[in-house]
Amino acid sequence: DQQVKQNSPSLSVQEGRISILNCDYTNSMFDYFLWYKKYPAEGPTFLISISSIKDKNEDGRFTVFLNKSAKHLSLHIVPSQPGDSAVYFCAATKGVQFYFGTGTSLTVIP
Amino acid sequence: DTGVSQDPRHKITKRGQNVTFRCDPISEHNRLYWYRQTLGQGPEFLTYFQNEAQLEKSRLLSDRFSAERPKGSFSTLEIQRTEQGDSAMYLCASSLVHGNEKLFFGSGTQLSVL
């Protein structure tokens, strides 16, 4: 039962343009939503999070938007850089449990 | 803050053998998690400790899997009688109990069962 879904396995974007990564969830009781970035042969690293009571959080080039009515969140990266090329996982928490999506592989083309 | 450390980084074993992985969390973190990740999937929860107490186990965790955190610091994950389906990346993560919703992951142990 996949409670967090990332329906796009991959995304390619030109350097300098905006990258938009999407995530859908099914459980309206989630407390926080997070984005993690993963390079090959490394563990995921935390990128940005948003509380379920907010609809936007921004940190430098990264902005996360939460649409609770649609049970949808997105990560915007502006401007995209080649070093952003990685797999991005969205995650949601309920109490102590974290639920991860299947990831979107982002390639930023120089 | 030295981060979450996992050992070994890679393990190749033959089917039927036992393997043990170690995780050293960030020192002040009292929650420790084990996850498993296979290609094309996100991390899947296996088990979770708060201090030395194992508070939750996933149904993915068969009786061949056992995890310990004896003194509330490092943790070990043992897989007995390994099967080819156990091949995966085993990730450890830690977090604080209060006021911090983030998990900090180690680099993982890549297990290959031949």
Side-chain angles (χ1 to χ4, degrees), chain B residues 14-34:
Chain B
K14 291 184 179 177
R15 189 176 50 187
Q17 297 294 304
N18 299 344
V19 293
T20 300
F21 310 139
R22 177 179 169 125
C23 171
D24 288 89
I26 294 171
S27 57
E28 64 269 26
H29 286 186
N30 34 23
R31 285 189 176 155
L32 186 147
Y33 297 74
W34 285 99

Side-chain angles (χ1 to χ4, degrees), chain A residues 1-2 32 34 36 38 41-46 49 89 93 95-103, chain B residues 9 31 33 35 37 40-43 45 48 50 56 59 89 91 101-108:
Chain A
D1 178 22
Q2 192 76 20
Y32 282 93
L34 307 92
Y36 281 82
K38 186 181 185 301
E42 293 184 13
T45 55
F46 171 78
S49 65
F89 292 97
T93 75
V96 301
Q97 275 284 17
F98 288 73
Y99 301 86
F100 287 84
T102 52
Chain B
R9 289 293 304 273
R31 285 189 176 155
Y33 297 74
Y35 282 84
Q37 186 175 17
Q41 298 297 315
F45 170 77
Y48 139 74
Q50 184 159 311
E56 196 164 338
R59 55 186 165 80
M89 170 78 82
L91 292 162
E101 73 283 4
K102 296 190 284 285
L103 284 181
F104 293 83
F105 283 89
S107 296

Side-chain angles (χ1 to χ4, degrees), chain A residues 50-66:
Chain A
I50 187 168
S51 164
S52 61
I53 62 172
K54 297 193 175 179
D55 54 22
K56 179 181 174 181
N57 187 28
E58 193 171 350
D59 184 3
R61 297 185 297 115
F62 303 93
T63 303
V64 57
F65 295 93
L66 176 62

Side-chain angles (χ1 to χ4, degrees), chain A residues 16-46:
Chain A
R17 305 293 291 268
I18 184 171
S19 295
I20 300 176
L21 296 96
N22 294 302
C23 180
D24 297 295
Y25 61 95
T26 58
N27 191 335
S28 58
M29 301 301 292
F30 286 136
D31 305 309
Y32 282 93
F33 301 88
L34 307 92
W35 285 93
Y36 281 82
K37 177 179 177 179
K38 186 181 185 301
Y39 293 117
E42 293 184 13
T45 55
F46 171 78

Side-chain angles (χ1 to χ4, degrees), chain B residues 41-81:
Chain B
Q41 298 297 315
E44 294 175 300
F45 170 77
L46 292 179
T47 190
Y48 139 74
F49 290 83
Q50 184 159 311
N51 300 311
E52 66 276 8
Q54 187 174 18
L55 297 185
E56 196 164 338
K57 291 194 285 188
S58 164
R59 55 186 165 80
L60 292 175
L61 209 66
S62 78
D63 55 7
R64 296 185 298 106
F65 288 69
S66 62
E68 293 182 345
R69 193 181 183 199
K71 295 181 181 177
S73 56
F74 73 92
S75 175
T76 58
L77 177 69
E78 181 183 16
I79 309 174
Q80 296 182 323
R81 305 181 303 281

